[in-house]
Amino acid sequence: MYVVETDNLTKYYSRGKIKALEDFTLQVEKGKIFSLLGPNGAGKTTLIKVLLGIVFPTRGSARILGEDISNPGAHSRIGYLAENHRFPEFLTANQVLFYYGKMSGVEPALLKERIPQLLKLVKLENWGDTKIRKFSKGMMQRMGLAQALSNDPDLLFLDEPTDGIDPVGRREIRDLLKNLRDRGKTIFLNSHLLSEVERVSDEVAILKNGRLLQKGTVEDMVSVKQQFTLQLAEGYDLLQALCAELALPLVSQNGSFIVSVRDDAQLNHLIDKLRERQALIRGIVPRKITLEDFFIEVVEEKEVAAP
Amino acid sequence: MKLFAIIQLTFRESLARKTFIAFFGLSTLVNLLFLFALNLDIVDGAESYISLFGKEIDQAFELEKIVYGIESVVAVGLFTGGVFMSLFATSSLIPAFLEKGSIDLLISKPLSRFTILAGRYLGAVAIVAFNVFYLVGFSWLILSFKTGVWNFGFLLSGVMIVLTYAILYALMAFLGVTIRSGPFSLMITYAILFFSPLLLQREAIYALLSGKFWGYLLDFLYHFLPKTTELGNITRMLVQHADIGSWLPVLTSLLFGALMLGAASMIFKRKDF
Ligand SMILES: Nc1ncnc2c1ncn2[C@@H]1O[C@H](COP(=O)(O)OP(=O)(O)OP(=O)(O)O)[C@@H](O)[C@H]1O
Ligand SMILES: [Mg+2]
């Protein structure tokens, strides 16, 4: 069973003028950190809102935790950090967690016990009795995260969770998310911070203009197929000559060479030849790009391809 | 319990508003006035005389009239001023919770949309009921103990006041959900309050109207809209134990409130946020 499942989910705003989601089909497995990437206005927030029943789909269907999205029953096992969330300002941090936790159906006695732990988790343990109107942006964001965790959810929707949070805090949140995943929770993340996503996600989908462009593991996205970086102690001239002979594209990049091959056999053939002629190989590494490179490539390429 | 959490939160939110603190302060003042300044004591047991502000009154019958009089002043004052103030103080409760960032969070909770709206509405009614009965309940107790005249009609008038507020707030909830502006909903609700006596007297202006259509329109508005003037009269009559001719205005006003709440929740149920 998938934790999140959508079938041709479509959402138009303004009587069809804005196509925020278009035939979006996706499955997210249990126990994964799943990230949704996409430029501004791609439809990331809209997807979460449709899944949580905050907006209604124009077409298509979806299930979360096995329940149809029209049924709020599954919401007691869900945590949500909304983009630009706001809590009533006259409440203290403790009160926010108490009231909103209660709305999630958590027993008051259990909540009283859990609130100090939640505040500690987001490093606000000394702020429990302070009115949240006095909080900074990053503190509000931490508050939102603590709130999302108040019912110990199985599925967590986080819309830009590290927005406004300092680098140390971001790392703490990353560790927290990994920790939650290791406890079997599923995390659905919207983010622009690609380096963060790269570090934390098990799976990534790229969304643009409401359409799914790519989906896969981070590993899949950042490794470039059939390209290898070769580092030789000596024998660069030999490599160049061999590649010319075998008609393999070769580029040099700060002291090492990137060679493109058709398949593994061809790579091994090249290495045999190099070794035959006594070239001293230091390393062969499958080439990787950053997720950011990949993202920009995908988003821009499809832009050109679109009519 | 989840519904209760929303009611509680709304209650707190209202308490954080200055208007309710002023309301509460005023009520306390009136109660203290009754407790200390109003010197209405029975001196010397049963067949003796009673003094009011130092003046002697010797008939029990007159005493009852005086107590009813004082209580109807409180009830009518509360009916007009209290409802007016309460509407003002709660006008932004519905539009505020519909704002982006707060409504999202509420809908993400395991609550139906109907429960969310109902919780908000009931929270507002609860705070007003609390305030009204703080004044009515305490002043009733003080007056009753001091004079021995136990007028339950005064307590009933408190119920009427809360009911009237609840009916008008149903309209505010409907307007809040559709227009999402507190001040605008307030203006329309006040307009209905002010036109209520006029609609009751509509026969007097039939002659001024240019066509039959306008007459029908006024008739329709009278029957459709909450009849606050008559509700006010009934409130006063309850205190004075007068004969209430017809409960129909209460019934039709309640129907209006129910209709508004139903419409509000229908619209709220389908809205994108
Ligand atoms: N309530 C609304 N009414 C009309 N259009 C809307 C509404 N909400 C979103 N949109 C439109 O839907 C599209 C998708 O918006 P969405 O908020 O889902 O984007 P996003 O991917 O979350 O962007 P960002 O990265 O900026 O948060 C945008 O074109 C936006 O203008
Ligand atoms: Mg967004």
Side-chain angles (χ1 to χ4, degrees):
Chain A
M1 193 193 77
Y2 294 108
V3 176
V4 176
E5 248 183 310
T6 72
D7 282 318
N8 293 311
L9 205 57
T10 301
K11 175 67 191 176
Y12 297 159
Y13 284 115
S14 314
R15 287 171 229 273
K17 268 189 238 128
I18 297 171
K19 299 187 158 87
L21 272 185
E22 186 98 60
D23 289 326
F24 191 84
T25 301
L26 176 84
Q27 292 89 29
V28 178
E29 280 171 47
K30 184 177 183 300
K32 293 272 158 74
I33 298 180
F34 181 91
S35 295
L36 197 57
L37 310 178
N40 291 131
K44 304 180 295 293
T45 299
T46 302
L47 176 64
I48 293 188
K49 284 186 169 184
V50 172
L51 291 175
L52 290 175
I54 297 161
V55 302
F56 297 100
T58 309
R59 237 181 308 123
S61 66
R63 280 161 302 287
I64 45 175
L65 298 169
E67 301 250 15
D68 192 87
I69 48 170
S70 58
N71 174 6
H75 290 192
S76 53
R77 294 163 58 205
I78 280 173
Y80 175 41
L81 170 68
E83 150 184 270
N84 306 320
H85 63 275
R86 59 170 101 170
F87 301 116
E89 291 203 317
F90 54 88
L91 295 178
T92 64
N94 283 331
Q95 288 166 341
V96 167
L97 294 178
F98 184 74
Y99 285 117
Y100 283 82
K102 223 167 135 186
M103 277 181 225
S104 291
V106 187
E107 289 299 325
L110 184 59
L111 262 176
K112 288 244 159 77
E113 215 171 280
R114 198 179 277 167
I115 286 170
Q117 299 164 9
L118 286 169
L119 287 174
K120 194 149 181 253
L121 211 57
V122 296
K123 300 267 160 20
L124 289 176
E125 60 267 49
N126 297 325
W127 294 83
D129 291 320
T130 309
K131 288 223 161 73
I132 58 162
R133 81 161 65 91
K134 295 183 184 158
F135 280 15
S136 72
K137 179 174 162 118
M139 286 161 78
M140 274 306 264
Q141 196 68 9
R142 287 161 190 260
M143 200 54 227
L145 192 62
Q147 189 283 133
L149 293 169
S150 63
N151 57 338
D152 192 24
D154 294 329
L155 172 58
L156 202 53
F157 287 100
L158 305 175
D159 204 342
E160 319 271 355
T162 51
D163 187 26
I165 291 189
D166 57 57
V168 176
R170 287 213 291 269
R171 188 163 74 210
E172 284 161 6
I173 290 177
R174 265 198 321 266
D175 292 342
L176 174 64
L177 296 185
K178 283 183 188 159
N179 187 290
L180 290 168
R181 176 208 36 212
D182 295 343
R183 283 167 44 203
K185 317 279 184 191
T186 311
I187 294 154
F188 193 110
L189 201 70
N190 277 1
S191 183
H192 291 296
L193 294 169
L194 296 167
S195 57
E196 306 235 309
V197 169
E198 188 170 351
R199 280 181 213 164
V200 80
S201 311
D202 299 307
E203 249 196 312
V204 173
I206 297 178
L207 185 67
K208 193 188 167 190
N209 294 333
R211 290 178 181 276
L212 183 65
L213 298 186
Q214 285 275 346
K215 185 191 165 203
T217 61
V218 176
E219 194 55 33
D220 279 347
M221 292 192 176
V222 297
S223 55
V224 185
K225 289 220 170 60
Q226 317 302 3
Q227 282 193 6
F228 296 88
T229 305
L230 286 183
Q231 289 171 319
L232 301 184
E234 57 188 54
Y236 284 114
D237 299 341
L238 182 64
L239 178 64
Q240 267 168 331
L242 270 174
C243 285
E245 194 179 302
L246 296 168
L248 297 178
L250 181 76
V251 281
S252 89
Q253 196 180 59
N254 19 314
S256 49
F257 286 86
I258 298 164
V259 62
S260 306
V261 293
R262 201 172 48 235
D263 48 25
D264 290 351
Q266 199 174 33
L267 176 69
N268 281 285
H269 182 65
L270 174 67
I271 291 162
D272 288 345
K273 289 269 181 203
L274 280 168
R275 290 296 300 136
E276 255 170 42
R277 299 187 200 181
Q278 316 298 325
L280 209 55
I281 299 173
R282 193 171 278 157
I284 306 166
V285 187
R287 195 177 150 229
K288 282 194 178 177
I289 53 172
T290 62
L291 189 59
E292 185 170 277
D293 293 333
F294 182 78
F295 176 79
I296 289 170
E297 199 177 289
V298 168
V299 166
E300 292 193 336
E301 181 187 304
K302 299 283 154 94
E303 195 147 37
V304 178
Chain B
M1 194 196 68
K2 291 174 250 165
L3 170 69
F4 189 63
I6 297 195
I7 297 178
Q8 247 181 321
L9 193 61
T10 311
F11 198 93
R12 276 202 88 100
E13 193 171 335
S14 319
L15 276 183
R17 275 162 216 265
K18 305 248 174 351
T19 326
F20 273 115
I21 297 173
F23 196 157
F24 193 77
L26 220 61
S27 303
T28 308
L29 216 68
V30 172
N31 280 336
L32 287 177
L33 191 82
F34 285 149
L35 194 58
F36 297 112
L38 189 67
N39 186 16
L40 195 79
D41 292 313
I42 303 172
V43 188
D44 263 2
E47 26 90 49
S48 60
Y49 66 95
I50 285 158
S51 88
L52 172 66
F53 292 121
K55 260 178 74 184
E56 282 178 28
I57 307 159
D58 41 16
Q59 276 169 332
F61 166 71
E62 216 170 317
L63 176 69
E64 192 175 88
K65 251 175 50 188
I66 288 167
V67 172
Y68 284 9
I70 295 172
E71 288 176 344
S72 33
V73 167
V74 174
V76 170
L78 203 56
F79 185 90
T80 44
V83 168
F84 194 84
M85 249 164 95
S86 305
L87 286 172
F88 178 78
T90 52
S91 65
S92 58
L93 280 182
I94 299 265
F97 101 112
L98 294 176
E99 272 173 24
K100 249 198 177 127
S102 34
I103 186 68
D104 311 38
L105 214 58
L106 291 177
I107 297 178
S108 80
K109 299 291 174 188
L111 300 162
S112 70
R113 287 198 178 198
F114 178 76
T115 313
I116 296 173
L117 189 66
R120 200 70 180 162
Y121 175 79
L122 291 176
V125 174
I127 175 95
V128 171
F130 172 80
N131 263 309
V132 166
F133 279 98
Y134 171 68
L135 176 56
V136 171
F138 272 101
S139 55
W140 177 74
L141 272 179
I142 295 166
L143 286 170
S144 301
F145 269 117
K146 280 200 165 186
T147 63
V149 179
W150 295 80
N151 180 9
F152 289 94
F154 186 40
L155 288 182
L156 280 180
S157 78
V159 175
M160 273 303 289
I161 292 166
V162 176
L163 214 60
T164 305
Y165 167 80
I167 291 164
L168 290 171
Y169 200 61
L171 171 68
M172 295 256 275
F174 170 74
L175 294 170
V177 167
T178 39
I179 338 178
R180 295 204 208 173
S181 151
F184 193 75
S185 328
L186 192 64
M187 260 165 54
I188 293 188
T189 311
Y190 278 172
I192 287 174
L193 262 179
F194 291 133
F195 280 111
S196 166
L198 199 76
L199 282 176
L200 186 61
Q201 302 294 320
R202 67 199 178 288
E203 262 113 20
I205 52 170
Y206 275 162
L208 304 173
L209 301 173
S210 55
K212 262 211 156 105
F213 168 77
W214 299 108
Y216 290 137
L217 181 70
L218 285 183
D219 274 350
F220 167 75
L221 285 179
Y222 168 75
H223 289 293
F224 177 68
L225 294 175
K227 297 160 193 59
T228 45
T229 311
E230 282 143 291
L231 296 182
N233 291 338
I234 290 176
T235 303
R236 185 175 41 77
M237 289 192 282
L238 278 172
V239 183
Q240 296 172 341
H241 292 260
D243 183 29
I244 294 157
S246 163
W247 286 93
L248 210 61
V250 180
L251 218 68
T252 54
S253 300
L254 275 176
L255 212 63
F256 173 84
L259 194 74
M260 285 299 120
L261 267 191
S265 59
M266 288 298 275
I267 293 169
F268 181 63
K269 243 184 172 141
R270 284 148 213 254
K271 233 178 164 98
D272 281 347
F273 290 100

